[in-house]
Amino acid sequence: GTSPFIGGCFPPHIDHCNDKSWVVLFSLGCTAIFQIKSRDMEERKTFEMKSGDVLVFDPSSEAGVTHGVDGIVEDENSGAKWSKFGNKFEVLGRSRFGVQCRVFWGDGG
């Protein structure tokens, strides 16, 4: 089963990165309760972002993608604990790492 939140919140925010880049966000370790809402969405979407999941979005002020982490859960039946990667790096069984990259394609236009 899933234990209560083990901590780790990141308040909802917009990146306001107006350099024509895209964000590629990788999740490693425990499951994050992630939230996202773009200007086109009527309501916020909340979902489990598990180890190995990837999210790509436009971080510009114009896109207005609000995103954040409501909490981290440790799920004994899924995630990094039971993968070869998680067995090699035990810290991933009790922590969550968000690896965010800014990606530029072409001339940015």
Side-chain angles (χ1 to χ4, degrees):
T2 302
S3 67
F5 290 111
I6 58 173
C9 295
F10 200 74
H13 64 282
I14 297 173
D15 287 352
H16 298 292
C17 187
N18 299 306
D19 58 4
K20 300 188 189 277
S21 66
W22 287 83
V23 166
V24 180
L25 178 61
F26 300 89
S27 189
L28 299 172
C30 293
T31 299
I33 306 302
F34 199 87
Q35 59 171 284
I36 192 163
K37 183 181 183 304
S38 72
R39 293 181 186 205
D40 299 341
M41 298 168 66
E42 288 187 25
E43 55 187 57
R44 175 180 82 176
K45 169 122 176 108
T46 301
F47 60 95
E48 290 186 348
M49 192 166 182
K50 298 185 180 200
S51 188
D53 287 350
V54 178
L55 181 67
V56 178
F57 64 92
D58 178 348
S60 69
S61 298
E62 183 180 346
V65 177
T66 303
H67 58 286
V69 175
D70 288 339
I72 307 298
V73 295
E74 186 175 17
D75 186 343
E76 63 189 46
N77 296 316
S78 65
K81 266 190 181 178
W82 303 106
S83 71
K84 288 181 182 178
F85 190 66
N87 288 335
K88 183 171 176 95
F89 301 100
E90 290 182 28
V91 68
L92 294 178
R94 62 183 185 278
S95 303
R96 188 260 178 177
F97 297 89
V99 180
Q100 181 172 295
C101 304
R102 302 282 179 177
V103 179
F104 298 89
W105 281 286
D107 63 3

